[in-house]
Amino acid sequence: MSQRPDSMLGLLSQYDGQAERTVRVGMLLPWANQVVETELPRLGLRHTVFHHARLVPASRTTAVDDSFWHGLRDAAGAAMDSMRHLPLDGTVLACTSAGFTGGPPLPPGVVTAFDALTDTLTSIAASRVVLATPYPQEVTDAEAAALEESGIQVTARVCLGLADGYPEVGPRKIRTMLHQVPPGLVRAADAVVLSCTGWHTLNLLPELERDLGAPVLSSNVAMALHAARLVIGATP
């Protein structure tokens, strides 16, 4: 698909409506993530079943740093083993930042939420984005660099500077953060990216798309789009 959608949720509904079969996707969740299991069922997908397993880093921490990200990646093999008897069509490590911060290799066939973001942006020809995250500045900068390496220009970036506590971030903080971006830079972008699977963004998406005049893609919706594209055979 090359035409950019007005609504990412609308695109998801379109994919789901085109499906002629059901797929099953394994979701490898950071052990403290509260949001993925909250938001994905509310998307109303008729042809996608999500199966969840939890990743416990050896550090038993929750704040984003190398020990957390690398611990998640180390734990992916055992989590996949816990789902070995499920007929999975795909598996996603449901952490965006673990997808661009290095660390141990993931088991074959596992993609990350960051991969789902970049694949979705590429599929809709969104080559210029505004990036918004709850992360510390250095993590946000690392993601911007990773997006640039994937051929996606980051026209502006904003962040909350938080290393933990993402489920507690309220909608007002997200709105305020995005209003820091000059309107001209938003208009110059093809999409706005709300990166991170651990903050609640789903309710905000339609409002933000109206206010910003651009499609808004969250990490969780990107993972759902990845799964829905599996259903219609559009994902490698």
Side-chain angles (χ1 to χ4, degrees):
M1 166 178 280
S2 59
Q3 184 176 0
R4 289 186 293 276
D6 295 326
S7 163
M8 299 310 298
L9 291 176
L11 179 62
L12 183 60
S13 178
Q14 175 186 327
Y15 285 164
D16 192 50
Q18 293 172 1
E20 296 181 353
R21 69 182 184 95
T22 295
V23 296
R24 297 178 179 272
V25 178
M27 304 298 290
L28 310 181
L29 302 185
W31 68 324
N33 189 297
Q34 306 171 27
V35 178
V36 169
E37 292 157 310
T38 301
E39 292 195 342
L40 292 185
R42 293 173 53 207
L43 295 173
L45 298 179
R46 297 171 300 158
H47 298 287
T48 306
V49 178
F50 295 104
H51 298 280
H52 302 93
R54 295 207 168 264
L55 304 176
V56 183
S59 63
R60 305 189 77 81
T61 57
T62 58
V64 291
D65 61 15
D66 284 347
S67 66
F68 174 73
W69 297 313
H70 298 179
L72 295 183
R73 297 174 75 97
D74 269 331
M80 286 191 69
D81 188 55
S82 75
M83 296 190 289
R84 67 161 58 186
H85 294 296
L86 302 177
L88 299 180
D89 296 278
T91 307
V92 181
L93 195 168
C95 177
T96 315
S97 51
F100 58 83
T101 48
L106 292 170
V110 177
V111 301
T112 69
F114 180 73
D115 297 323
L117 278 175
T118 57
D119 289 349
T120 298
L121 292 169
T122 299
S123 76
I124 63 171
S127 59
R128 295 163 59 87
V129 302
V130 170
L131 174 64
T133 86
Y135 308 137
Q137 186 67 58
E138 61 270 20
V139 180
T140 304
D141 291 343
E143 180 166 15
L147 286 167
E148 297 271 0
E149 289 175 7
S150 298
I152 299 166
Q153 181 182 356
V154 178
T155 61
R157 69 193 75 167
V158 286
C159 67
L160 295 177
L162 302 175
D164 207 345
Y166 302 148
E168 284 72 54
V169 174
R172 180 177 298 180
K173 280 190 175 182
I174 298 174
R175 292 189 196 99
T176 300
M177 174 178 58
L178 285 169
H179 287 154
Q180 298 171 13
V181 182
L185 292 180
V186 176
R187 289 193 297 270
D190 300 317
V192 175
V193 173
L194 299 182
S195 177
C196 184
T197 65
W199 58 346
H200 295 276
T201 60
L202 183 58
N203 286 345
L204 275 176
L205 296 184
E207 171 193 327
L208 291 176
E209 288 179 332
R210 288 193 303 269
D211 290 349
L212 300 175
V216 179
L217 178 64
S218 70
S219 290
N220 289 336
V221 170
M223 293 191 298
L225 281 162
H226 171 81
R229 292 176 71 231
L230 284 173
V231 177
I232 63 173
T235 298

